[in-house]
Amino acid sequence: MVLIGPMAVGKSAIGHQLAQHLGSAFVDTDAVVVAQHGSIAEIFASRGEHAFRELEARAVSRAIEEAGGSSTVISLGGGAVLDSGTQQLLGRCTVVYLECDAETVAERIARNSGRPLLAGDAMGRWRTLFATRQPVYERLADLVLDVRSGSVPELARRLEDALGEYAAAKATAVPAPASTKEVE
């Protein structure tokens, strides 16, 4: 299962909590990149955003491959979904979009100025990035979890319940017959 959504929405915290509830492994792809290559801010400063996106795409690919159908919970960075290869890999996963708004993340962003894409007018930049990424999040999502209210444990529990309902619905779904196209 993969958590997607904008920066500062709580993907890492909720994902870690959910993994604990499920007794599953947890992988934060941003943390993987940082562990292997240094801070994201340093990567942006020394090598640029394009280099970071390549490292990020490799980390996502590796995490999904290593999960191999297990119940691993994977948290992606906000922009990871922009990579077409990542989008294809997500087709093999249950994708959960953590939905929010600017007000939900404003305080978190104010406390954490280490996000290179939010340099300067952090909330203005966040809104711009969110506006361009939101349609991608919505298109890729199998489930949407509104994270505007609730503690991390409450949100993880709600997500666990939603995943159970999703799995049950998927298991009982009757495949539709193949459609036929009439040719005149």
Side-chain angles (χ1 to χ4, degrees):
M1 187 227 329
V2 178
L3 303 182
I4 63 172
M7 286 183 267
V9 74
K11 296 179 299 289
S12 298
I14 294 167
H16 186 263
Q17 185 79 45
L18 178 65
Q20 286 183 327
H21 287 197
L22 299 174
S24 301
F26 174 69
V27 179
D28 179 332
T29 59
D30 278 350
V32 169
V33 170
V34 168
Q36 295 175 350
H37 303 282
S39 81
I40 294 170
E42 290 170 5
I43 296 167
F44 266 73
S46 65
R47 299 166 63 186
E49 182 177 358
H50 181 72
F52 170 75
R53 295 292 173 207
E54 288 178 351
L55 296 171
E56 179 180 56
R58 284 198 293 260
V60 170
S61 175
R62 199 171 316 113
I64 291 172
E65 293 298 324
E66 289 175 0
S70 69
S71 65
T72 302
V73 178
I74 302 170
S75 169
L76 302 191
V81 297
L82 301 176
D83 180 76
S84 61
T86 294
Q87 290 180 21
Q88 289 178 342
L89 287 171
L90 291 178
R92 295 194 255 161
C93 306
T94 299
V95 178
V96 179
Y97 165 37
L98 301 186
E99 181 182 50
C100 71
D101 54 24
E103 291 72 34
T104 305
V105 299
E107 184 181 321
R108 289 180 217 158
I109 288 171
R111 285 194 315 252
N112 181 358
S113 59
R115 298 175 188 268
L117 287 177
L118 299 182
D121 174 14
M123 286 311 301
R125 294 278 301 138
W126 187 92
R127 284 183 179 91
T128 300
L129 290 168
F130 181 61
T132 60
R133 296 172 180 177
Q134 183 180 13
V136 180
Y137 298 142
E138 291 172 349
R139 178 174 49 83
L140 295 173
D142 295 305
L143 290 170
V144 177
L145 178 69
D146 184 336
V147 298
R148 288 179 187 94
S149 64
S151 67
V152 168
E154 290 167 345
L155 291 166
R157 183 68 63 203
R158 282 192 357 227
L159 180 52
E160 183 178 6
D161 292 344
L163 285 165
E165 291 170 15
Y166 176 77
K170 199 172 171 182
T172 61
V174 177
S179 64
T180 57
K181 185 175 184 180
E182 292 185 19
V183 179
E184 294 181 29

